[in-house]
Amino acid sequence: MPKLERQRLHDTVVEHIRNFIVEGVLAPGMKLNEREICETLGISRTPLREALKVLAAEGLIDIEPNRGASVSKLSETEIWEMFELLSGLEALSGELACERITPTEIADIKALHYAMITCREKNDLSNYYRYNQEIHDRINEAARNSALRQTYTSLNRRIKALRFRSNFDVAKWDKAIQEHEEMLKALDARDGKRLAEILRDHLIEKREAIMKGSIDHPVA
Amino acid sequence: MPKLERQRLHDTVVEHIRNFIVEGVLAPGMKLNEREICETLGISRTPLREALKVLAAEGLIDIEPNRGASVSKLSETEIWEMFELLSGLEALSGELACERITPTEIADIKALHYAMITCREKNDLSNYYRYNQEIHDRINEAARNSALRQTYTSLNRRIKALRFRSNFDVAKWDKAIQEHEEMLKALDARDGKRLAEILRDHLIEKREAIMKGSIDHPVA
DNA sequence: TACATTTATTTTGCATGCAATATGCAATGG
DNA sequence: CCATTGCATATTGCATGCAAAATAAATGTA
């Protein structure tokens, strides 16, 4: 029998609001009025408030005592730091993936890679992004580490919620693709150190492309 | 004026229960009865349930629909993976710390190191652990990355909740201390790659010391 | 006795209600 | 005209209540 997973209201609410935040329907800084959301979703405040607590724990919203919740708005420094952590997680993913990925998975990633290149040729930025993210995701999955997977996913959501439109110039785009080619080579050779290095630099460059470098970040 | 921080009930409840779990008062697998806890803490179910949702999001408890919450019980594989992630986070911390740590902070860590060695000489395992953890914590802080700090802290809590009593033999103990000496050298030399390597190996050895290696973990 | 079925009790999930705090607005004074 | 005070409204935080599900207990049957 198709065991129909009875799912709890507050869980579906978490997913619902989380998607709204990650997809940009709810922008950073936006106030979340409990009554308003309750009416929209047709639920009472109890499950909603439980959902808000979860989203706050995930770092997607901020809750101020007696003043309600709002979509997290991060400082440039925090964003900078999140990219730094993300680059570390990707590097770790890559290193582990080289040990554990199957030839089939490598082939799948190559297919995604070529699909991505096609998007570049068509100047289809939107789908390019999707394929790009999918490739990074596959590498993370290939690391075969659920804790790493969860942490990576969670951090990625927080970053995605910021809705960067990276000021892309063609040169950077082509460089990014070149780096992806290098990734595939490293994967094929199962050169973990090399893949880690590429992924790390790749992410840092993405960060630089997004953030104009006008902020002060920690240096020695 | 001393801005008196009004704190919410469910937040204090989160901290309360979290401490109980991390300190081992509530052991993995233990069932959490809502009514029972409410009576103990003298609160109603609403703030308690909000707290439980947060703890579940942190990975410290599991909530089964209509069946209540229990302290998370992890499989050996999950534990193995968590150590792997932790080693990656420590390696990243070390690398960044070498770029950003101040001489004062290095001096503080050295002081902790010597205090730790004294504990070893006195066979004071309990305080040895405290100093040991404190040193790793300081390195993580010196990385100057709040996202990394949060992730590390959260993961460490989940691991601490498992309450390992590592089957310690003297040889391993001395080896661990030797590795700590190497860490200090790398810090002094601000050799990030080297410190990362030591920390990573250090953690993996700790994992091996704790887990008897009798589980199957992913390999190529 | 062992096992299945029914009934009673407990426990969870959600809605509602009330008190405390915060917010918005008008009246008052400088 | 602007700032400040006091009041009305809205919003949050927590307690309580009720229905549905799960667990435990009791009964019946082979």
Side-chain angles (χ1 to χ4, degrees), chain A residues 85, chain B residues 89 92-93 96 140 143 145-153:
Chain A
L85 174 56
Chain B
L89 294 177
L92 180 59
S93 301
L96 298 176
N140 179 259
N145 184 314
S146 60
L148 173 58
R149 175 113 199 89
Q150 281 187 303
T151 305
Y152 177 76
T153 304

Side-chain angles (χ1 to χ4, degrees), chain A residues 17 20-21 24-33 36-37 52 60-62 67-73:
Chain A
I17 301 180
F20 275 174
I21 294 175
V25 180
L26 296 172
M30 197 171 287
K31 191 97 200 305
L32 300 177
N33 184 298
E36 211 172 286
I37 300 177
L52 292 181
L60 289 172
I61 69 174
D62 294 325
R67 299 187 57 199
S70 58
V71 181
S72 286
K73 202 171 180 180

Side-chain angles (χ1 to χ4, degrees), chain B residues 142-186:
Chain B
R144 306 262 191 283
N145 184 314
S146 60
L148 173 58
R149 175 113 199 89
Q150 281 187 303
T151 305
Y152 177 76
T153 304
S154 175
L155 186 61
N156 241 335
R157 275 201 286 253
R158 295 182 68 187
I159 290 178
K160 200 174 173 202
L162 302 173
R163 305 262 99 196
F164 293 117
R165 64 250 170 289
S166 62
N167 22 344
F168 233 68
D169 63 72
V170 176
K172 279 177 192 158
W173 198 349
D174 286 335
K175 182 149 196 298
I177 286 186
Q178 176 121 20
E179 285 168 346
H180 268 256
E181 305 263 8
E182 296 291 322
M183 286 180 208
L184 286 183
K185 274 189 215 161

Side-chain angles (χ1 to χ4, degrees), chain A residues 2 14 20 26 65 79 93 109 123 131 140 163 171:
Chain A
V14 166
F20 275 174
L26 296 172
I79 298 168
S93 301
I109 291 178
N123 265 349
Y131 283 119
N140 179 260
R163 306 262 99 197

Side-chain angles (χ1 to χ4, degrees), chain A residues 29 48 58 89 94 101 112 142 156 181 189 218:
Chain A
L48 173 68
E58 292 180 0
L89 294 178
I101 197 168
L112 290 166
N156 241 336
E181 305 263 7

Side-chain angles (χ1 to χ4, degrees), chain A residues 6-20:
Chain A
R6 236 199 74 74
Q7 81 175 331
R8 290 161 302 171
L9 202 45
H10 65 257
D11 270 348
T12 65
V13 172
V14 166
E15 286 174 34
H16 204 92
I17 301 180
R18 184 159 55 204
N19 283 337
F20 275 174

